[in-house]
Amino acid sequence: MSDTNPSPPAGYYRRHVFFCLNDRTNGEDSCAHHGAKEAFDHCKARVKAEGLAGPGQVRVNKAGCLDRCAGGPVAVVYPEGTWYTYVDPSDIDEIVESHLKNGQVVTRLLLPPDVGR
Amino acid sequence: MSDTNPSPPAGYYRRHVFFCLNDRTNGEDSCAHHGAKEAFDHCKARVKAEGLAGPGQVRVNKAGCLDRCAGGPVAVVYPEGTWYTYVDPSDIDEIVESHLKNGQVVTRLLLPPDVGR
């Protein structure tokens, strides 16, 4: 094949955050039952208010099931691959201010590495 | 703050692929009008059939609008931050075989860096 595998370019987004918004309607639990949509909306609004949104900066994105449901609600920040679990808007504020704005992981909100479905 | 910023751990997924499945109903164009759902389903099935799915391997994920609509339908592979545009299932097969399985970017399907909303 003629494909090459160059060093990745600087990302289109510096940080790309994906919130699981999965909303199961079969009686099983899911992130949407734990304030995921509200957290997504809050994060998106905070990132915009901080002037961080857009190409070269931060994108806050809706996602389907990220398959780490046991630790939900969850979100992941790429390209770092940092996984968070959160409870309330102040957790989101801390992720925005510390990680998305200043590149410092919020250790207390990290999803333990062994948490899966 | 007491936060630390250690080197990122090996990712929970080695590669995490997000397909834009945005389906606008206001008359504007969107990825769902160009076979995005079918491509997502095909990619997920191929990754599973190849034995690549799961923690430590590959996750194929639904996403909302990735805001690079002018190049849609689009998908992005993290942690590399490789953006693709695709037309048909054979494009997806090539991404799975080359990039997701063997780590080789499929150059001909790369989304040009200046493509935005």
Side-chain angles (χ1 to χ4, degrees):
Chain A
M1 298 178 66
S2 62
D3 295 330
T4 57
N5 198 13
S7 298
Y12 183 78
Y13 298 118
R14 190 162 53 93
R15 295 197 169 89
H16 201 164
V17 190
F18 295 88
F19 278 81
C20 174
L21 298 186
N22 197 28
D23 188 4
R24 293 198 177 99
T25 56
N26 63 355
E28 291 180 35
D29 208 3
S30 61
C31 289
H33 304 161
H34 296 273
K37 179 63 165 59
E38 295 76 8
F40 164 79
D41 288 339
H42 184 71
C43 189
K44 205 163 178 76
R46 289 296 309 141
V47 163
K48 188 171 180 183
E50 292 277 352
L52 300 173
Q57 300 197 86
V58 175
R59 170 77 180 170
V60 180
N61 225 101
K62 295 180 185 180
C65 180
L66 298 169
D67 217 28
R68 300 191 69 181
C69 317
V74 299
V76 59
V77 182
Y78 283 109
E80 295 95 318
T82 304
W83 288 80
Y84 288 116
T85 182
Y86 55 86
V87 172
D88 58 30
S90 71
D91 291 343
I92 302 301
D93 289 342
E94 191 169 345
I95 291 169
V96 171
E97 181 69 20
S98 180
H99 190 156
L100 302 184
K101 188 171 181 180
N102 295 312
Q104 299 293 312
V105 168
V106 183
T107 309
R108 74 176 183 87
L109 298 176
L110 287 175
L111 191 61
D114 59 337
V115 170
R117 178 159 200 168
Chain B
M1 298 179 68
S2 63
D3 295 330
T4 57
N5 199 11
S7 297
Y12 183 78
Y13 299 118
R14 189 162 54 92
R15 294 196 169 90
H16 201 164
V17 190
F18 295 88
F19 279 80
C20 175
L21 298 186
N22 196 29
D23 188 5
R24 292 199 177 98
T25 57
N26 64 354
E28 291 180 35
D29 208 4
S30 61
C31 289
H33 304 162
H34 295 273
K37 179 61 166 59
E38 295 76 9
F40 165 79
D41 288 339
H42 185 71
C43 188
K44 205 163 179 77
R46 289 296 309 141
V47 162
K48 188 172 180 181
E50 291 276 352
L52 300 174
Q57 300 197 88
V58 175
R59 170 78 180 169
V60 180
N61 225 101
K62 296 180 184 179
C65 179
L66 298 169
D67 217 28
R68 300 192 69 182
C69 317
V74 299
V76 59
V77 182
Y78 282 109
E80 295 94 319
T82 303
W83 289 80
Y84 288 117
T85 182
Y86 55 86
V87 172
D88 58 30
S90 71
D91 290 342
I92 301 300
D93 289 342
E94 191 169 345
I95 291 169
V96 171
E97 182 68 21
S98 179
H99 190 156
L100 303 184
K101 188 171 180 180
N102 296 313
Q104 299 294 312
V105 168
V106 184
T107 309
R108 75 175 183 87
L109 298 177
L110 287 176
L111 190 60
D114 59 338
V115 170
R117 178 161 199 168

